[in-house]
Amino acid sequence: MDALGWQIGAVLIGSSTLIVAIYVSKLLHSTTKVVEKTNKIIDYNERHIHEIIENAASITKEAEEIMDVVNKLTSLTRVFRFMKR
């Protein structure tokens, strides 16, 4: 009876390993498809992505310049308030 229990356990472990291997292979296949689609989208839109990055950099630079002007104006108004008193 011990040999039969051992054989049944081995079959169950083997079949569960096979099921897990099939699941992992399907998961890897779908992951590969997603990565390929992502690469195609990036390749197709590469020019647009670079334009967006350049625009974001210029917007950031202009925002910094505006903040510098605002800081200078606020410091100037503080001086005028001090002179007014």
Side-chain angles (χ1 to χ4, degrees):
M1 194 68 176
D2 283 336
L4 182 62
W6 180 82
Q7 290 173 348
I8 291 173
V11 168
L12 289 175
I13 289 174
S15 61
S16 64
T17 303
L18 180 65
I19 290 169
V20 169
I22 291 170
Y23 177 75
V24 169
S25 67
K26 284 184 176 183
L27 179 69
L28 289 174
H29 182 69
S30 65
T31 303
T32 304
K33 283 185 177 181
V34 168
V35 169
E36 288 175 355
K37 286 181 182 179
T38 304
N39 285 335
K40 285 181 183 178
I41 290 170
I42 289 173
D43 289 341
Y44 182 73
N45 293 319
E46 187 172 2
R47 182 174 51 93
H48 299 295
I49 292 170
H50 286 296
E51 288 176 1
I52 290 170
I53 291 171
E54 289 173 2
N55 288 339
S58 67
I59 289 170
T60 303
K61 182 180 175 185
E62 291 173 7
E64 288 176 2
E65 292 174 359
I66 291 171
M67 290 303 295
D68 288 340
V69 170
V70 168
N71 284 335
K72 289 177 183 176
L73 286 175
T74 55
S75 65
L76 191 62
T77 56
R78 288 181 189 158
V79 169
F80 284 130
R81 281 189 198 159
F82 179 71
M83 294 175 80
K84 189 176 182 180
R85 289 182 185 179

